[in-house]
Amino acid sequence: MSVIEIILPDGSTRSLEEGQSALDLAEQIGARLAKDALAATVNGELTDLSKPLPAGATVAIVTPASAPGREVLRHSTAHVLAQAVTRLWPGAHYAIGPAITDGFYYDFSLPGGARFSDDDLERIESEMRAIVTENQPFVREEYSYEEGLKVFSDQPFKVEIISGVRDGASPEDASEVSGSVVSAYYNSPTFKDLCRGPHVPSTARLGHFKLMRVAGAYWRGDEKRPQLQRIYGTAWESKEALAAHLTQLEEAEKRDHRRLGQELDLFSFPTELGPGLSVFHPRGGTIRRVMEEYSRARHVAAGYEFVNTPHITKAELFETSGHLHWYADGMYPPMELDDGQQYYLKPMNCPFHVLIFKARQRSYRELPLRMFEFGTVYRYEKSGAVHGLTRVRGLTQDDAHIFCTREQMHDELVSLLTFVLDLLRDFGLNDFYLELSTRPAEKAVGSDEEWREAETTLAAVAGTAGLELVMDHGGGAFYGPKISVQARDAIGRTHQLSTIQLDFQLPQRFETSYIAPDNARHRPIMIHRALFGSVERFMAILIEHYAGNLPTWMSPEQVRVLGVRDSHDDYAYAVAGALKSDGVRVVVEAANEPLGARIRRAKLEKVPYILVVGDDDVTNATVGINARGANDPERGVLLTDFRQRLLDEISTHGSPELARGT
RNA sequence: GCCGAUGUAGCUCAGGGGCAGAGCAGGCGAUUUGUAAUCGUCAGGUCGGGGGUUCAAUUCCCUCCAUCGGCACCA
C-alpha cells in the first residue's frame, strides 16, 4: 500500500495510506477532532468526510462551529426535513432544499394538493427528531443520467433537474449533476435525494434545529409555474447557538420600525386610508421635517434648483416616457374625465422635470442643471408586497434630475457619488458597498452603443469611490443602468439606499435639447438620482438602525425637564425657555407624579436627555443630566455648560450613545 | 396576486355556544416626590365587516377586508 502526503491548513504535512479519508486524517490528528468532524475541504472544495483523499491535497477538517460546518449541517437537516415529510405524507414530491443564511428550507408538493398548516410543523419536527435518533448514515451514490432518471422516476422535480442538465436547458443545476454523473444521497433504504453534497456522516450529528414557518414558493421562482409548499427552518451547531439565534430574532423584532412607530407615536396606517398609505403623527412628522430640512440645505449648497410638480397628469406624459408601456400594472388605474381624457397619479417625477427643462430654450451655459423635488408618487403595489414604511403605495422621493452634456457627465457623477455618501454618513450610516445594475434582458430601450457607454461610464465612476463594487447583471431600469449604494445597518443587514441612474433615453423621447457653443441643438443626458430613495423607507431604516434611539439632532423631543417637586416647576420652565431659545425641542413635565415614574416614561419614550432639577439646581443654576443610554446620571452641571454640550452634539450630528455602544 | 397564519378596549393580551375580562394608556380626585412604575376612582367594546348553522354565535361554518410570515413583483 502506498503512502500519500496531505497538507494541512497551517502548512504542515501528514502521511496517510492511499485510499484513506479525511475522517482517517482527523483521527490521526486527534480523537476530539474526529468526533467533531462533519466534512472536509479538499483543495478548497467541500467534500464528504468519507471520501478517499488524493495525494498532495490541502485538506481542512470542517467542524460544526464554522461557516462551512453550519452550511453542511443545515443542508443535511434539510434532507432530514424532506425525509420526515415523505414519511408523514407518502407520495409527497420534494423539489429543492438548500442551506440559506441561518438555516435551510425545502420545497414540497403534497399529494392531492394538500397544504401544510402551522400545526403540521410540530408533527414534522418530532418526526425529524425520530430520524436523528435513528442515526441514519448519509451514503453517497453516483449514477449516469439514465440511471439517475430511473432512480428518481417517482420524483418529477428531480427528473426535471436531471433532464434539464442533460439537455443543457438549465446549466444552473450543473453542480448537482456534474459532468455526466448524477449524485444522490441515501439516508435509509426508503429515502434518497439528488444532491451534490457533502453531508454530515450521520443524522445523529444533527439536532439543534427548529422549523420556523411554512410559506408558498413558486417552482423555479416562476410565478407561472406551480406553487410549492416551502418549510423554513433554522439549524445550529449547539443548543446555545440556536438559543442565541432565537434571542437575536427577538431583538431584531424589538427594533422593527412598525413596532417602534406605534410605541413612539411616530406614524400609523389608518385602515380607512387603505393598505400602504401612511400618516405621520407629530413626533414622526418632526423627524421627517428634520430629515427634509437637512437634505434641502445640503442640496442648496450642492447647487441644486428646487422645483415642484403636480401629482396627476394626462396619460400622454407617461406614454411618451414609456412608463405606461412598462409599468401600467404598477400604476393606479386612470381617472377618466368627461371629455374622455385620462389622468394618472404619478408613479415617477422624471417626466415632469423634463418638461421644466423644456419650458424654454436652454443654453449649454446652464448645464449641469440640477432640479430637486421632494416628489410624492403613488404606486399600485401588489397587495402582498406592502410592508410597513419600506414598501408603500404613497411615498415621497428626494428626487433630482441632472441635465448635462456627455462631456460633463463623468465629473458630475463622481462629485454626485461623493455628495451621496457624505449625506448618508451625516445620518449615521457609514458601512457601504456599491452595486452596478446593467441592461435588463428584455425591459430595455435604446441602442447597444448607448448602453455600453452608460455602463462603462458608471463603472468608471463607481471605481473612484474606493468601495467594494458588486455587479447586478440585468438589474437596470428600462432607460439606463444604475449605481446603487448599499448600506449595512447596526445589526448587519444591508439596505439598498441611494440610486444613481444614467439615462440617454428620456431626453430623446421628449426631444430635449440645448444650444451648444456651436450654435446647434444638442441632446443633453439625464442623471436620475435619489439619496434617501423614499423618505418613508429611509426613516424606517434609520429607526431600525438606531433601534428607535435617534441621534439628538433628529429626535422629536430632545430634552425633557422634570422638577423634583412642583415648587421646582418654575425653574424647570426657565431651563426649558433657555433651551428653546437655542432652538432645542424641549418639554417640561410638571411634578404631578413621583420623579421615578416620570423618568421611566421619558426613558420609554427614548428622549435623549432628561434634566432633573431640584433645590440645589435652583440655587446654583445647574441641572441634573440623565442621558439616554448612560449608566449614571450627572448631578450639578451648570446649565450654561449643558447648553453648550447639547448644541455641539446637535450641530455635529453626534450620537454619544451609539459611540458608547448601547 | 399566490400559500400559510392572525384579527377581542387607544396599546399588549386572556377568554371560548348561554351577562365581555386584565394590565398599561386615558378622565377625575388625592399624593409633593433627587433619577425606570404613588394611591383611589371613573369611563372605555357592534369581539374586523357581511352572510349562514343554532332556542342562543365573540366562540362553529362560508365569504370579504385588514395585518403578519414567505413567494412573485419592485420604474
Side-chain angles (χ1 to χ4, degrees), chain A residues 429-639:
Chain A
L429 298 163
N430 41 38
D431 188 359
F432 304 117
Y433 67 94
L434 302 178
E435 197 167 274
L436 179 60
S437 301
T438 57
R439 179 179 187 151
E442 279 154 31
K443 264 190 185 181
V445 295
S447 71
D448 292 349
E449 295 73 45
E450 287 166 336
W451 276 90
R452 205 162 23 244
E453 182 181 354
E455 289 175 3
T456 310
T457 305
L458 282 182
V461 169
T464 65
L467 295 170
E468 185 191 346
L469 179 66
V470 174
M471 293 304 296
D472 169 30
H473 296 287
F478 70 85
Y479 47 75
K482 69 178 177 193
I483 295 176
S484 53
V485 178
Q486 313 278 331
R488 290 188 190 87
D489 70 10
I491 55 173
R493 298 173 301 186
T494 62
H495 306 275
Q496 177 178 316
L497 295 175
S498 318
T499 58
I500 299 173
Q501 299 174 348
L502 194 47
D503 177 7
F504 296 164
Q505 305 309 320
L506 282 193
Q508 288 176 33
R509 289 175 157 262
F510 281 93
E511 299 182 332
T512 315
S513 64
Y514 64 93
I515 308 294
D518 63 1
N519 203 29
R521 287 174 190 275
H522 290 258
R523 190 81 76 208
I525 65 108
M526 243 175 117
I527 300 167
H528 304 240
R529 38 111 296 169
L531 276 52
F532 298 157
S534 118
V535 178
E536 291 82 357
R537 180 166 168 276
F538 190 62
M539 190 197 286
I541 290 168
L542 290 180
I543 288 169
E544 300 198 356
H545 177 59
Y546 289 110
N549 298 308
L550 291 170
T552 307
W553 73 281
M554 295 179 71
S555 284
E557 182 183 336
Q558 297 169 313
V559 177
R560 186 172 299 180
V561 190
L562 309 177
V564 174
R565 288 189 313 279
D566 58 8
S567 59
H568 306 121
D569 281 352
D570 285 349
Y571 180 67
Y573 280 108
V575 168
L579 291 168
K580 220 172 262 179
S581 72
D582 292 337
V584 172
R585 296 183 288 275
V586 55
V587 169
V588 176
E589 188 182 358
N592 294 322
E593 272 185 289
L595 183 62
R598 286 176 288 150
I599 296 212
R600 177 168 193 272
R601 190 174 311 123
K603 289 284 184 193
L604 291 175
E605 291 173 18
K606 302 187 188 291
V607 178
Y609 288 99
I610 302 166
L611 300 186
V612 173
V613 294
D615 290 333
D616 299 348
D617 300 297
V618 174
T619 313
N620 303 321
T622 58
V623 294
I625 304 172
N626 189 331
R628 189 178 61 191
N631 289 328
D632 297 304
E634 289 178 75
R635 289 282 293 273
V637 178
L638 281 172
L639 175 59

Side-chain angles (χ1 to χ4, degrees), chain A residues 300-504:
Chain A
V300 170
Y304 284 78
E305 315 277 354
F306 286 66
V307 299
N308 288 286
T309 65
H311 291 201
I312 63 171
T313 172
K314 287 186 206 167
E316 193 191 343
L317 187 73
F318 289 114
E319 279 161 11
T320 305
S321 71
H323 287 99
L324 257 176
H325 180 246
W326 298 111
Y327 293 107
D329 285 353
M331 292 168 66
Y332 274 91
M335 289 169 252
E336 184 146 334
L337 271 56
D338 291 341
D339 59 1
Q341 186 66 252
Q342 292 192 328
Y343 280 78
Y344 279 92
L345 280 168
K346 68 171 168 182
M348 286 295 279
N349 303 301
C350 20
F352 296 81
H353 292 184
V354 175
L355 295 185
I356 295 171
F357 185 90
K358 284 181 51 153
R360 62 173 169 77
Q361 205 163 60
R362 299 286 173 181
S363 156
Y364 73 96
R365 295 173 187 278
E366 297 179 70
L367 306 182
L369 179 55
R370 310 180 184 94
M371 292 188 208
F372 179 95
E373 173 179 19
F374 279 111
T376 301
V377 299
Y378 297 89
R379 296 177 178 183
Y380 187 70
E381 300 286 1
K382 288 182 186 171
S383 63
V386 296
H387 180 91
L389 285 180
T390 60
R391 194 82 182 270
V392 286
R393 286 182 171 170
L395 60 131
T396 302
Q397 296 178 310
D398 60 330
D399 205 4
H401 297 92
I402 300 170
F403 297 85
C404 64
T405 68
R406 287 198 178 203
E407 294 68 43
Q408 291 169 330
M409 78 182 169
H410 178 270
D411 290 354
E412 185 66 21
L413 285 164
V414 169
S415 68
L416 173 55
L417 188 55
T418 309
F419 175 63
V420 168
L421 294 172
D422 280 354
L423 190 92
L424 294 178
R425 287 192 183 101
D426 285 338
F427 281 92
L429 298 163
N430 41 38
D431 188 359
F432 304 117
Y433 67 94
L434 302 178
E435 197 167 274
L436 179 60
S437 301
T438 57
R439 179 179 187 151
E442 279 154 31
K443 264 190 185 181
V445 295
S447 71
D448 292 349
E449 295 73 45
E450 287 166 336
W451 276 90
R452 205 162 23 244
E453 182 181 354
E455 289 175 3
T456 310
T457 305
L458 282 182
V461 169
T464 65
L467 295 170
E468 185 191 346
L469 179 66
V470 174
M471 293 304 296
D472 169 30
H473 296 287
F478 70 85
Y479 47 75
K482 69 178 177 193
I483 295 176
S484 53
V485 178
Q486 313 278 331
R488 290 188 190 87
D489 70 10
I491 55 173
R493 298 173 301 186
T494 62
H495 306 275
Q496 177 178 316
L497 295 175
S498 318
T499 58
I500 299 173
Q501 299 174 348
L502 194 47
D503 177 7
F504 296 164

Side-chain angles (χ1 to χ4, degrees), chain A residues 269-274 277:
Chain A
F269 297 88
T271 53
E272 291 85 342
L273 300 187
L277 298 170

